[in-house]
Amino acid sequence: MRHYPTDLLLAVEHVERSLTAGSLPDLADALRRAGVAEPPRRFDGEQLMLGLDRLLDGVSQYPWQPLTDSNDVVETGPAGTVVLDDREGDAPDRGAGTAAAAGAASGAASGAASGAASGAAEAVLRGLLLAWALGNEVVVRTARPGLWTAVMDALRAADTPLPAGRVAAPGTPVAGVAVDVPALPEGASPALDCQAPWVHRLLTRRHLPGVTLAQARGADAERDARMAARLRFLTARARRHPYYADLPEAADVRGLAALPVLEKADLEAHSPPAGRGLRSGGPGTGEVLRSGATSGDPRYIVYSRADWDNMVREAIPVLYGMGLEPGDRVINTLFGGGMYGGLTTTFSELARMPVEAYSTGQFATVDDVLMLTGRFGANVVLGMPALILPLLRDAKQRCPELRVEKVLYGGTPMTRTDRDWLRTALGARVVSSVLAANDGAQLGYQCASLDGTLHHLNDDYTLLEVVDEYGTPLPDGAVGEVLVTTLQKFEGPLVRYRIGDTGRIFHHACRCGVSGRVLEYLGRSDGLIRFKGETVLYGDVLAVLEGLRVSQLQIEVFSEGGKEILVVRTESPVPPDAAEVRELLVAEFPVLGALQDFDAALDLYELRVECHPEGRLSRNAVSGKVKTVVDRRLEVSC
């Protein structure tokens, strides 16, 4: 059975709270008598997490750490059995149970007698915590077994899975790794202690060449236990926020369904600047992003420094999985500025990879594309379809020999017609999509073996569910609304957030070697058009128009002179005839035409079609997205 450092962190935090609250007086007194000053400080969970995060290059990714210079991993594991010697001399063992009674009588003499032992007790405690954090069985050879039994019992009282531990008499032969823990210099941080040479004796590291992070996780026989540990840690950290103060623990992924759904209105009400319910109150660190605000007021998303590091660590394997390779030269046209995250996040990720990046942002011009592909040999374009398709078509018109080897895109879906054009006209051998959101960063990605709207999921980073309107999980393959739970974002975490997307999830053994869950992304859940009392799906309309080379589609419904008007607006490299589009839509969706279930003499509905060249539909100034469905029937005039 594998053990996880996050479970030890929860146990340490439990003991720290108990000592601070005075609910473990016998243990506190026993530790003081052993020379451990200020016992609560020796169970500093925040400093221990910081140290483990640096030691493991991501405590939340344990046991695999992806290598940024390649697309394979290092696997970290315990050394086995760790033997710690409590060298406190001949001091008698009073034990935790008798410490309180003996403390007052011992006075200063006890403190003096244990002076030589003070470093020993603290060293054993540090060794025990770090050895357990790394999954090792621990044997403490000691003349005061009551003390260390009490420490282990206090940690186990947190009821998280911890490795085996026991005490033995001094000098008892024990098979294992004997670790001599040096004294910690006065005032030194426990976080720095994790970088000391002795700590590396507590773990093993094994390079797995050719094995990606997604492949390692997909082949893991202990997936359920791994995900349960992720959820235990998330729910505990989430309870630091006022909004989640009473959040129950999810014992495993199945238990997640018992937790409440976070609706958009609640998220907005408790997020900055409107509310503080999703702020932990801890010191501010990291990066703050804003939502695209394609509808409503912007919202601000806080990533602590650790959250940001987790996001970048998890995103680099995603970019590799999408087809990026060492030595690539990337034109990054994602939107930036105004605290929007697209350019900011990818800038942080590409900067750690062995690639050369040209961060033009949304201000990229045809001249930029031609100069960068010509003079710098740029072979990758990263951006949103609404921006890069018109840009690349104009560049191709000006320079017929233009070639772009890879196109990585996100933000909105790309039609099959446009993907085919990139492959045939530009010679792109990779056209792959990433699903991401400012709220929780990357949600899924396409490898070279996936196409259309299928995306691999990264459940260890962002866990997705598909549910019905009441938040009840649906079986694999069923279509429903997507809920997002952020397993490695702990400041302003999202637990079962209804993100506004629809899709279906099923297991897929992919040709790329990744076996796991994939999401078929079916668009925004608000992409429903109600017209004449019937429902038409935005995605269905776009699929019908793909044959006319439509790149962007917007549908608007509003009232005018007692009539309901539905306007279909398209963007295409060569705009089709509006009458042809109208005829096709009415044939495929009769409800959009003259068909109605009431008096035909009543003129209450109208379908209008507008066909525009690329780049003519309005884009959101922050996110660069075209708003897909606009329903103005409910707007109130002031």
Side-chain angles (χ1 to χ4, degrees):
M1 175 183 176
R2 185 190 300 131
H3 292 275
Y4 295 89
T6 50
D7 282 329
L8 184 278
L9 288 170
L10 293 178
V12 167
E13 291 170 1
H14 168 78
V15 174
E16 180 184 23
R17 287 192 301 269
S18 299
L19 289 171
T20 302
S23 57
L24 289 174
D26 290 347
L27 177 63
D29 194 61
L31 287 168
R32 291 191 191 96
R33 286 171 47 75
V36 178
E38 301 181 70
R41 288 186 56 200
R42 307 307 165 186
F43 293 87
D44 188 333
E46 287 303 306
Q47 283 295 307
L48 185 57
M49 180 173 176
L50 179 60
L52 286 169
D53 214 41
R54 291 172 177 170
L55 172 66
L56 298 172
D57 194 23
V59 69
S60 293
Q61 287 188 322
Y62 184 88
W64 300 286
Q65 284 74 47
L67 301 176
T68 57
D69 288 340
S70 63
N71 193 25
D72 44 27
V73 297
V74 167
E75 182 177 33
T76 302
T81 298
V82 170
V83 184
L84 302 172
D85 286 301
D86 178 18
R87 298 186 178 91
E88 82 327 329
D90 297 325
D93 176 27
R94 302 182 184 275
T98 61
S106 60
S110 172
S114 63
S118 62
E122 282 196 26
V124 170
L125 180 58
R126 288 160 42 224
L128 169 64
L129 296 181
L130 283 172
W132 265 5
L134 297 168
N136 297 281
E137 177 185 1
V138 173
V139 178
V140 179
R141 292 190 291 211
T142 179
R144 43 187 178 191
L147 170 64
W148 298 112
T149 299
V151 170
M152 293 182 190
D153 287 347
L155 289 165
R156 293 196 187 283
D159 201 26
T160 61
L162 297 176
R166 60 186 175 90
V167 296
T172 301
V174 179
V177 180
V179 177
D180 187 13
V181 183
L184 190 65
E186 184 67 27
S189 164
L192 294 178
D193 198 21
C194 294
Q195 303 298 309
W198 70 269
V199 174
H200 293 272
R201 302 198 65 202
L202 306 176
L203 55 82
T204 61
R205 283 201 163 106
R206 183 167 64 110
H207 179 211
L208 303 179
V211 177
T212 69
L213 181 62
Q215 290 169 344
R217 287 170 171 169
D220 185 23
E222 297 190 32
R223 178 189 183 276
D224 290 347
R226 188 180 83 237
M227 298 304 294
R230 304 275 194 257
L231 285 168
R232 278 193 296 273
F233 194 63
L234 169 70
T235 51
R237 302 289 287 194
R239 283 191 286 273
R240 299 180 174 195
H241 302 72
Y243 180 81
Y244 284 126
D246 299 320
L247 183 71
E249 180 179 301
D252 51 32
V253 172
R254 290 183 297 275
L256 192 62
L259 305 186
V261 172
L262 175 63
E263 303 290 353
K264 182 178 180 181
D266 292 324
L267 179 63
E268 291 177 345
H270 293 277
S271 296
R276 310 292 290 183
L278 284 169
R279 293 300 305 268
S280 67
T285 64
E287 192 82 22
V288 177
L289 306 179
R290 62 164 285 184
S291 64
T294 50
S295 61
D297 295 329
R299 184 169 37 79
Y300 294 88
I301 301 104
V302 179
Y303 285 79
S304 71
R305 180 175 60 167
D307 293 343
W308 193 262
D309 285 342
N310 288 341
M311 179 270 294
V312 172
R313 288 188 193 105
E314 291 281 352
I316 290 172
V318 165
L319 289 170
Y320 277 128
M322 293 175 68
L324 212 55
E325 297 171 292
D328 278 339
R329 296 175 171 86
V330 187
I331 306 174
N332 186 356
T333 71
L334 285 169
F335 277 61
M339 298 172 65
Y340 189 66
L343 187 67
T344 308
T345 56
T346 49
F347 177 86
S348 300
E349 295 150 12
L350 295 172
R352 296 194 187 184
M353 299 181 71
V355 300
E356 187 168 88
Y358 320 105
S359 299
T360 65
Q362 67 270 35
F363 304 108
T365 65
V366 173
D367 287 337
D368 292 332
V369 171
L370 295 178
M371 183 273 293
L372 290 170
T373 54
R375 297 185 183 179
F376 284 85
N379 65 318
V380 184
V381 173
L382 169 63
M384 291 181 52
L387 173 70
I388 61 176
L389 284 168
L391 189 66
L392 290 174
R393 284 198 175 98
D394 286 351
K396 178 67 175 179
Q397 190 171 16
R398 280 180 48 183
C399 181
E401 63 271 21
L402 175 67
R403 292 291 183 270
V404 176
E405 184 185 6
K406 304 173 186 180
V407 176
L408 312 182
Y409 68 94
T412 56
M414 186 183 292
T415 66
R416 182 174 299 278
T417 302
D418 290 330
R419 293 196 301 271
D420 289 344
W421 180 84
L422 291 170
R423 293 187 176 104
T424 57
L426 297 184
R429 65 176 181 86
V430 172
V431 180
S432 55
S433 161
V434 62
L435 295 177
N438 277 353
D439 298 292
Q442 55 273 8
L443 307 177
Y445 71 96
Q446 286 183 332
C447 67
S449 299
L450 294 182
D451 200 0
T453 58
L454 288 179
H455 294 77
H456 288 292
L457 295 181
N458 182 0
D459 287 331
D460 284 67
Y461 181 69
T462 305
L463 181 60
L464 269 58
E465 302 172 80
V466 172
V467 302
D468 63 17
E469 58 183 312
Y470 305 106
T472 303
L474 296 173
D476 284 359
V479 175
E481 296 192 52
V482 175
L483 301 185
V484 168
T485 298
T486 55
L487 295 181
Q488 295 187 43
K489 183 179 184 298
F490 304 118
E491 182 64 36
L494 304 178
V495 180
R496 306 196 80 209
Y497 171 48
R498 198 186 304 269
I499 198 168
D501 292 327
T502 59
R504 65 186 188 101
I505 291 175
F506 55 93
H507 188 275
H508 177 64
C510 189
R511 291 195 304 272
C512 72
V514 175
S515 180
R517 302 197 313 157
V518 295
L519 169 73
E520 182 180 9
Y521 177 71
L522 299 176
R524 298 289 298 171
S525 57
D526 54 11
L528 305 176
I529 305 111
R530 295 286 294 176
F531 195 61
K532 298 183 184 177
E534 296 189 32
T535 298
V536 177
L537 297 178
Y538 172 90
D540 290 346
V541 177
L542 181 58
V544 166
L545 296 179
E546 277 194 351
L548 300 179
R549 299 187 64 197
V550 168
S551 296
Q552 299 290 326
L553 170 66
Q554 181 183 78
I555 299 176
E556 180 178 359
V557 189
F558 59 92
S559 299
E560 179 182 275
K563 296 170 63 175
E564 282 195 357
I565 313 296
L566 187 144
V567 183
V568 174
R569 300 187 181 96
T570 69
E571 273 191 11
S572 309
V574 179
D577 179 70
E580 181 184 357
V581 172
R582 191 182 193 286
E583 182 180 350
L584 176 61
L585 291 176
V586 171
E588 294 289 336
F589 307 100
V591 68
L592 300 182
L595 179 67
Q596 56 191 40
D597 295 328
F598 42 83
D599 189 347
L602 296 176
D603 186 17
L604 300 179
Y605 298 93
E606 181 182 346
L607 170 65
R608 298 176 184 173
V609 175
E610 300 175 5
C611 298
H612 301 277
E614 284 189 316
R616 294 298 178 86
L617 294 183
S618 61
R619 268 73 168 162
N620 181 275
V622 175
S623 69
K625 297 178 182 178
V626 173
K627 188 165 178 59
T628 55
V629 177
V630 182
D631 193 337
R632 303 195 185 282
R633 289 172 293 188
L634 299 180
E635 291 184 356
V636 179
S637 301
C638 298

